[in-house]
Amino acid sequence: MADSSQQGATLFSPYKLGKFSLSHRVVLAPMTRCRALNRIPQPALADYYSQRSTNGGFLITEGTLVSNTAAGFPHVPGIYTDEQVEAWKKVVDAAHAKGSIIFCQLWHVGRASHQVYQPGGGSPISSTSKPISGRWRILLPDGSYGTYPKPRALETYEIPQVVEQYRRAALNAIRAGFDGIEIHGAHGYLIDQFLKDGINDRVDEYGGSYANRCKFLVQIIEAVVAAIGADRVAVRISPAIDHLDAMDSDPLSLGLAVVERLNKLQLNFAAKLVYLHVTQPRYTAYGQTESGRPGTEEEENHLMRTLRKAYEGTFMCSGGFTRELGMQAVAEGDADLVSYGRLFISNPDLVLRLKLNAPLNKYVRKTFYTQDPVVGYTDYPFLSNGSSGRGGSLSRL
Ligand SMILES: Cc1cc2nc3c(=O)[nH]c(=O)nc-3n(C[C@H](O)[C@H](O)[C@H](O)COP(=O)(O)O)c2cc1C
C-alpha cells in the first residue's frame, strides 16, 4: 500500500515533518527511565539524550508529568514548576547542540498511581473509581512492587482543570526550548482511561459514546494547540494495547473514532498536527509479555494499516521493530516514521548501527527503571570509533 510520497523511501531517507527537516526516520521512542531525581531532570538526562541525538534526528522524551498528581513511577521528570523548566533547558540544549529535534511527551498516569506518589497521600484520579486489577503491579519508590489502589473518579467540573494542566505544561515545554510536545494518550494512562470502554464507566458527557470518550483528548488537543500551535503538537494512542487493563471492546472502531476527530480538528485548525504515533498491538507497551494479545497478526496489521490510511498526516509506528521490520514498514508505506524503544536504550548510536547493519548491544531490563545516573543508562557502548565519541567494547553485553 505504498503511497507516492514513500516511493523508494527507506529508514534512512530524509523526511519533511511539518516545519522540521529530518535526515532519517529512526525516532527515539518515549521511555520512562526514572533518573530525574525528585522529578527534576538531572545532568545525566542531558548526557542520555545527547548520546542518542543525530543531526536531523527526532527524539521524544520520557513521559513527563503535567502536574503533581500525574506520577506513577519513581523519579520521573515533571514540567509543571519553574525549576523543572530550567533543568529541562540543559537537556534540550544538549540535544539541539547535536542537531536533533526534541519533543516532550506530556503524561498523566491517572489511576496507574499510588498514594505514595500523590500530594498529601490522596487517591489517584481517573475516569473511573475501578482500580487496575491485581494482574498488574506498581513500582514503588523503594524498588518494591505494590497493588494499584482504588482511584477517585474525577467530577465533571474537575476535568477542565486537568485539561488546563496539559495546556500549562505545553507552554512550559516551549519555554524550556522543546520543539514541540507529544500528548501521551496511550498505554492505559489517564487519557486512555477515558478512551477505553473497558475502563470508562462514566455517565456524564465524558463517558459512553465515542464522542464522549474522545472528549477529554479532544479538549486537551484544542487547549494545547491554542497555546503553542498545531505545528508543535503530536498525539500518541494505542487502541489495541491492553496494558494496565486498557481493554476496549472494539479497538479498531475506537482508533478510527480518534483518527476521525484528529482529521476534523486539523481542518478546524487549518493546520496539521505534527504526527500521530500508534503503538503496534503485537507487543505490549513495555514489551514484557504478549499477554492479552487482542488479535491475530493479520487483524493487528489490518488495524494499523486502516488507521494509517484514515489519518491525514504523518504516521509513526512503535513496538517490536527490528531493522528489517522498520525498513519494511517505511518501504511499504505502512509508516512514515518508526520509533525504537528498547534497542535505543542499549544502543545510543542505534541510527548508525542500523544504517551499517552492525551488531546491536542487548538491553538489560533490570536497569530500565533504576536511578543510577550511569549504569544501564549512559554506559551502553558505542561502536568502537563510532560516530559519537564514546568508544566501548561490543563484547561487554
Ligand atoms: C523502559 C520503558 C519505558 C517506557 N516508557 C514509556 C513512556 O514514558 N511513554 C510512552 O509512550 N511509552 C513508553 N514506553 C513504550 C515505548 O515507547 C515503546 O513503544 C515500546 O518500548 C515498544 O517499542 P520497542 O519494541 O522498540 O521497545 C516505554 C518502554 C520501555 C521499554
Side-chain angles (χ1 to χ4, degrees):
M1 51 129 42
D3 72 46
S4 56
S5 63
Q6 296 277 137
Q7 292 287 315
T10 78
L11 268 182
F12 312 107
S13 310
Y15 185 77
K16 188 89 184 94
L17 178 65
K19 62 184 176 187
F20 308 106
S21 295
L22 308 191
S23 62
H24 59 81
R25 292 136 183 262
V26 179
V27 172
L28 173 67
M31 279 181 294
T32 294
R33 302 303 316 277
C34 302
R35 264 76 174 182
L37 303 182
N38 302 316
R39 302 186 184 174
I40 312 284
Q42 305 293 308
L45 274 75
D47 287 348
Y48 172 81
Y49 287 104
S50 168
Q51 286 183 345
R52 284 153 187 78
S53 294
T54 48
N55 197 14
F58 193 83
L59 310 178
I60 310 166
T61 69
E62 58 215 276
T64 299
L65 311 174
V66 298
S67 70
N68 68 352
T69 60
F73 277 81
H75 302 294
V76 288
I79 190 131
Y80 55 90
T81 70
D82 288 340
E83 196 183 355
Q84 290 161 345
V85 171
E86 287 310 309
W88 271 121
K89 282 182 183 166
K90 300 188 185 86
V91 179
V92 172
D93 287 349
H96 282 166
K98 292 255 190 92
S100 264
I101 293 136
I102 181 164
F103 271 37
C104 182
Q105 191 190 51
L106 300 189
W107 191 27
H108 195 305
V109 300
R111 69 176 183 163
S113 183
H114 189 278
Q115 290 90 339
V116 287
Y117 295 120
Q118 294 299 317
S123 297
I125 57 164
S126 183
S127 62
T128 179
S129 56
K130 283 180 303 192
I132 293 171
S133 70
R135 179 180 160 210
W136 308 93
R137 312 282 289 167
I138 181 164
L139 176 60
L140 296 170
D142 65 3
S144 67
Y145 283 84
T147 309
Y148 284 101
K150 187 170 152 62
R152 181 177 74 75
L154 285 162
E155 300 291 341
T156 310
Y157 76 87
E158 292 177 291
I159 295 175
Q161 297 164 9
V162 184
V163 172
E164 172 61 13
Q165 294 172 358
Y166 280 85
R167 194 187 70 86
R168 278 205 305 263
L171 283 168
N172 283 343
I174 299 307
R175 258 202 310 137
F178 282 108
D179 299 293
I181 61 99
E182 179 182 282
I183 297 167
H184 191 349
H187 306 163
Y189 296 108
L190 183 60
I191 294 172
D192 212 19
Q193 292 160 27
F194 277 83
L195 292 175
K196 299 273 171 74
D197 65 4
I199 302 176
N200 184 335
D201 53 1
R202 304 183 70 88
V203 292
D204 65 1
E205 68 205 71
Y206 291 92
S209 64
Y210 286 127
N212 287 1
R213 281 189 275 139
C214 292
K215 193 170 191 167
F216 181 52
L217 173 61
V218 167
Q219 289 182 332
I220 290 170
I221 297 170
E222 285 174 338
V224 165
V225 165
I228 66 171
D231 59 352
R232 295 198 278 200
V233 175
V235 175
R236 183 171 202 184
I237 57 167
S238 60
I241 295 273
D242 74 337
H243 188 237
L244 302 172
D245 294 339
M247 305 292 281
D248 194 86
S249 56
D250 187 351
L252 178 57
S253 299
L254 173 64
L256 282 171
V258 172
V259 164
E260 196 184 299
R261 279 160 185 84
L262 297 182
N263 288 341
K264 197 157 154 230
L265 283 168
Q266 295 184 146
L267 279 178
N268 295 347
F269 301 144
K272 293 243 191 282
L273 297 166
V274 187
Y275 59 85
L276 173 63
H277 189 179
V278 182
T279 318
Q280 284 274 359
R282 67 176 172 231
Y283 288 86
T284 64
Y286 291 86
Q288 275 157 352
T289 65
E290 295 199 10
S291 61
R293 216 178 130 135
T296 63
E297 199 169 320
E298 209 173 299
E299 282 165 349
E300 293 166 357
N301 287 340
H302 174 67
L303 177 135
M304 293 301 281
R305 288 192 171 133
T306 308
L307 298 186
R308 196 282 193 266
K309 224 167 135 192
Y311 178 60
E312 289 159 15
T314 294
F315 196 73
M316 185 189 296
C317 288
S318 181
F321 281 93
T322 55
R323 178 182 196 275
E324 195 189 350
L325 287 172
M327 292 294 267
Q328 193 182 318
V330 172
E332 293 182 3
D334 289 340
D336 299 304
L337 303 170
V338 179
S339 81
Y340 286 83
R342 290 162 292 165
L343 293 179
F344 230 141
I345 287 181
S346 53
N347 295 279
D349 52 355
L350 182 67
V351 180
L352 179 70
R353 287 178 192 248
L354 293 181
K355 213 179 244 175
L356 299 177
N357 204 5
L360 300 175
N361 301 319
K362 291 205 174 78
Y363 50 82
V364 179
R365 189 180 297 282
K366 71 176 196 300
T367 51
F368 279 180
Y369 301 120
T370 44
Q371 275 75 65
D372 193 291
V374 175
V375 178
Y377 194 52
T378 53
D379 64 347
Y380 285 103
F382 286 77
L383 280 175
S384 331
N385 308 316
S387 62
S388 306
R390 296 198 187 182
S393 153
L394 281 179
S395 60
R396 179 185 154 273
L397 292 166

